[in-house]
Amino acid sequence: MATTTAPAQSPHPATTISDSTAAKTTSPLSSTHSLQEQKSQTRRPTRWRRILDVINWKPKRVRWDPQKPPKFNMAMNVLFGFAGAFTVADLYYSHPILNILADDFGVTDEKVSSIPTLAQSGYAVGLLLICPMGDIFKRRPLVLSLVLFTATLWIGLCLTNSFNAFCAITFLTGITTVTPQLMLPLVGDLAPPHRRATALSIVSAGNLLGILIARLLSGVVTNYTSWRNIYWIALGLQYIIFVLLWLYMPDYPSTNPDGLQYFKIYKSMALMLKKHPVLVQACLIAFCVSAPFTDFWTTLTFLLAGDPYNYNPLIIGLFALIGIAGLFSTPIFARTVMDKYVPMFSVVVGAIAGLVGTLIGTYAGLHTVAAPCIQAFLLDFGLQTTAIANRSAIYAVEPKARNRINTVFMLFTFFGQITGTAAGNKIYATYGGWIASGSLAVGLYVFSLVICAARGPWEEGWIGWSGGWSVKKKDRASADGKTVEARSHLARTNTNVGEQEKVNETDSEKALEEAAGEDGENVMRRINAEREAKEIGSKQ
């Protein structure tokens, strides 16, 4: 027999109301509040939020895994070199086409010459203000943001018909075109110390290649089409670089995860110059070898365009190919020589190569075109060699401050380049032409060798040769031949300090095992002996 249950009655029938009545009696204020909540929940993220989400999102292959740190390989090395080349090139596309730009914008040659000056000035500002941030923030989002900003702002250079707007955008893009100087210290972090010189040589060659290839491409493209086409090509290359870095650049953690105060980093850079004699020596040498480089490439145009050669702009632009040949020889030298000898040995070799090339080019350049060809090759080889060797030495002193160290080094390099351009032009125009400007370069190279002779490779103080005259590395697994670097940033993170020390030791052993694979079993025997000695000491 079926039973039915009567619906339960409310204990307070008089106060019972229907759902529809409750909806009708809801206050307008609460209704408005609920609508606002619904809108906020369904509101789309802003355009800037979406851009930041794209920059911060990482493909699985590049995400940081403390159990499996990123492996620095040749593909990544070449990618950084490619990105550096066509980022640095943005500063130099205007150099061979200044006369075309003057005609198109309707300004004088003197006024249009402010374009490369503004680009270089912006680059100096970026070196000073942005590069030290690499010691504070993660390099991947910082680099990607700068590349995307530069590429997007570059559209204005392709479209504007205003000379003032062109100059302003050139200055702003110069500020953000410092990403190669953020990637070089990252290479120093990622590459094994005993292979750091080779890795740096590829990226550095890319940076200098950008200077030369920009002059070549800009001259050729403008000679046959509009000057705007080279700027459109540069725009496409910037977006290609962004996509490639977004796909493959590793999400390396900050070297100072506890943070640094931005304005205090400048005080720390000044203290580094006071603390590290090797940094001061490297900076002075960089100034002395950078000035002859820009002196040569600035005045070479005047030499080749006048008597006795009278070459056209296209042939003059092809001289960049000689410099490119010098660049490609540097990684070979780094692999065969720099990785085996102390950095100072390679610095001296580079300075002598530059000096020999300058002597030949300066005093025979008016008689045979072969002289400036030889000078172009040796000058580029010498500049790259000294720069890479100096970086190998200075990156070893403070691993957590490599971006600041690189900023100091690059500021001296940049001042040398400006000095070479300004003084070379002035001397060429006023005091005797090609031979006079070349003699300035000879003097600077001689002074760089004096700086090398003042402080030996094993000297810990400011002047002297204590430690001996040997140029072979005492520790083949280190970058400078003497400093044992604990690759702490690649170590797996553990809460226990003792465990972390063991992990760091394991990672150091792995790096040395790579050296043992190349140098024989003697390195691993030494490591095992040292480890056994430590174990015996701890038991006692």
Side-chain angles (χ1 to χ4, degrees):
M1 182 177 179
T3 60
T4 59
T5 303
Q9 295 182 355
S10 171
H12 303 287
T15 61
T16 303
I17 58 176
S18 64
D19 292 341
S20 60
T21 307
K24 291 179 181 178
T25 57
T26 302
S27 66
L29 183 62
S30 62
S31 178
T32 303
H33 182 69
S34 64
L35 288 173
Q36 290 177 347
E37 287 183 347
Q38 292 177 2
K39 289 182 179 179
S40 63
Q41 291 175 358
T42 59
R43 185 180 298 167
R44 293 183 178 181
T46 63
R47 181 179 301 173
W48 294 110
R49 180 72 260 176
R50 291 198 296 270
I51 293 174
L52 288 175
D53 289 342
V54 170
I55 292 174
N56 289 319
W57 191 85
K58 298 169 285 292
K60 188 176 181 180
R61 73 174 73 87
V62 302
R63 294 174 187 172
W64 173 253
D65 183 1
Q67 301 297 329
K68 190 178 179 181
K71 184 178 180 181
F72 189 77
N73 51 34
M74 181 57 68
M76 190 184 300
N77 208 166
V78 172
L79 171 60
F80 284 2
F82 173 82
F86 289 101
T87 301
V88 170
D90 291 346
L91 301 170
Y92 297 93
Y93 287 120
S94 65
H95 285 207
I97 59 172
L98 290 177
N99 58 326
I100 307 296
L101 294 174
D103 294 337
D104 198 64
F105 285 113
V107 296
T108 63
D109 290 345
E110 182 179 0
K111 194 170 184 179
V112 80
S113 64
S114 63
I115 292 175
T117 302
L118 287 169
Q120 293 293 336
S121 300
Y123 187 71
V125 172
L127 283 174
L128 189 61
L129 299 182
I130 296 178
C131 285
M133 293 182 184
D135 286 336
I136 304 175
F137 304 109
K138 290 184 177 181
R139 262 71 64 88
R140 175 185 165 89
L142 180 58
V143 168
L144 290 177
S145 300
L146 291 172
V147 173
L148 183 61
F149 179 85
T150 304
T152 305
L153 198 60
W154 194 267
I155 298 174
L157 295 176
C158 300
L159 297 175
T160 185
N161 291 315
S162 169
F163 178 75
N164 291 332
F166 192 92
C167 290
I169 297 173
T170 297
F171 177 76
L172 292 175
T173 54
I175 295 176
T176 55
T177 310
V178 293
T179 48
Q181 301 307 325
L182 291 168
M183 288 189 288
L184 278 168
L186 179 59
V187 171
D189 290 336
L190 292 171
H194 66 288
R195 285 287 176 233
R196 184 175 296 153
T198 301
L200 288 174
S201 70
I202 295 174
V203 181
S204 298
N207 293 346
L208 200 52
L209 176 65
I211 299 175
L212 301 176
I213 205 168
R215 299 172 185 266
L216 178 62
L217 284 178
S218 184
V220 172
V221 171
T222 305
N223 189 59
Y224 295 105
T225 65
S226 169
W227 67 266
R228 292 186 187 272
N229 288 335
I230 189 61
Y231 279 82
W232 283 113
I233 293 172
L235 173 67
L237 287 168
Q238 284 298 299
Y239 279 115
I240 290 173
I241 290 170
F242 173 79
V243 172
L244 290 175
L245 291 177
W246 185 80
L247 288 173
Y248 299 108
M249 186 175 183
D251 185 36
Y252 194 84
S254 171
T255 53
N256 294 278
D258 296 332
L260 293 171
Q261 291 188 10
Y262 179 75
F263 292 104
K264 284 188 176 181
I265 61 179
Y266 294 103
K267 181 180 178 180
S268 69
M269 287 192 290
L271 292 175
M272 288 175 188
L273 289 170
K274 182 179 179 180
K275 181 180 178 182
H276 301 296
V278 65
L279 178 59
V280 176
Q281 185 182 33
C283 288
L284 292 176
I285 294 171
F287 177 91
C288 291
V289 300
S290 297
F293 177 80
T294 53
D295 178 8
F296 169 75
W297 285 105
T298 301
T299 57
L300 178 66
T301 302
F302 303 136
L303 172 69
L304 299 179
D307 293 332
Y309 303 113
N310 298 308
Y311 290 152
N312 61 45
L314 182 60
I315 295 178
I316 295 174
L318 293 175
F319 267 74
L321 295 175
I322 302 170
I324 292 173
L327 296 182
F328 284 123
S329 64
T330 308
I332 300 173
F333 181 82
R335 180 81 176 181
T336 57
V337 178
M338 288 189 193
D339 288 336
K340 299 178 181 179
Y341 298 93
V342 294
M344 183 54 64
F345 176 74
S346 298
V347 170
V348 172
V349 170
I352 291 175
L355 176 61
V356 171
T358 303
L359 286 170
I360 294 172
T362 298
Y363 301 111
L366 294 174
H367 306 288
T368 173
V369 74
C373 290
I374 295 172
Q375 183 177 1
F377 178 86
L378 292 177
L379 209 62
D380 287 15
F381 171 80
L383 177 66
Q384 280 293 94
T385 301
T386 56
I388 296 161
N390 277 326
R391 279 194 171 95
S392 294
I394 62 179
Y395 281 179
V397 295
E398 290 195 32
K400 289 189 176 183
R402 283 181 179 140
N403 283 275
R404 282 169 284 171
I405 286 174
N406 188 67
T407 298
V408 175
F409 180 76
M410 281 306 301
L411 284 173
F412 275 84
T413 301
F414 180 78
F415 291 141
Q417 293 173 350
I418 291 179
T419 302
T421 301
N425 281 333
K426 183 68 174 179
I427 293 174
Y428 190 98
T430 308
Y431 298 106
W434 175 255
I435 293 179
S437 64
S439 297
L440 169 67
V442 171
L444 287 169
Y445 270 120
V446 171
F447 186 60
S448 70
L449 291 172
V450 172
I451 297 172
C452 292
R455 185 177 178 276
W458 308 106
E459 175 63 49
E460 297 295 336
W462 290 94
I463 298 177
W465 279 77
S466 62
W469 293 74
S470 175
V471 295
K472 283 192 174 182
K473 288 183 176 180
K474 294 179 180 179
D475 188 344
R476 288 285 302 277
S478 68
D480 62 354
K482 55 184 177 180
T483 304
V484 178
E485 299 179 42
R487 301 181 67 194
S488 56
H489 304 123
L490 295 180
R492 296 179 289 278
T493 303
N494 287 290
T495 54
N496 185 282
V497 176
E499 292 178 0
Q500 180 63 54
E501 290 177 353
K502 292 179 181 179
V503 169
N504 288 347
E505 182 178 342
T506 301
D507 287 339
S508 298
E509 288 177 3
K510 287 181 179 179
L512 290 172
E513 285 174 5
E514 296 176 8
E518 300 169 1
D519 305 332
E521 297 180 355
N522 56 330
V523 179
M524 283 307 302
R525 288 173 182 170
R526 177 170 55 84
I527 295 171
N528 292 331
E530 291 175 355
R531 184 168 54 186
E532 290 174 2
K534 287 182 180 179
E535 291 176 355
I536 294 172
S538 61
K539 290 179 181 179
Q540 292 176 349

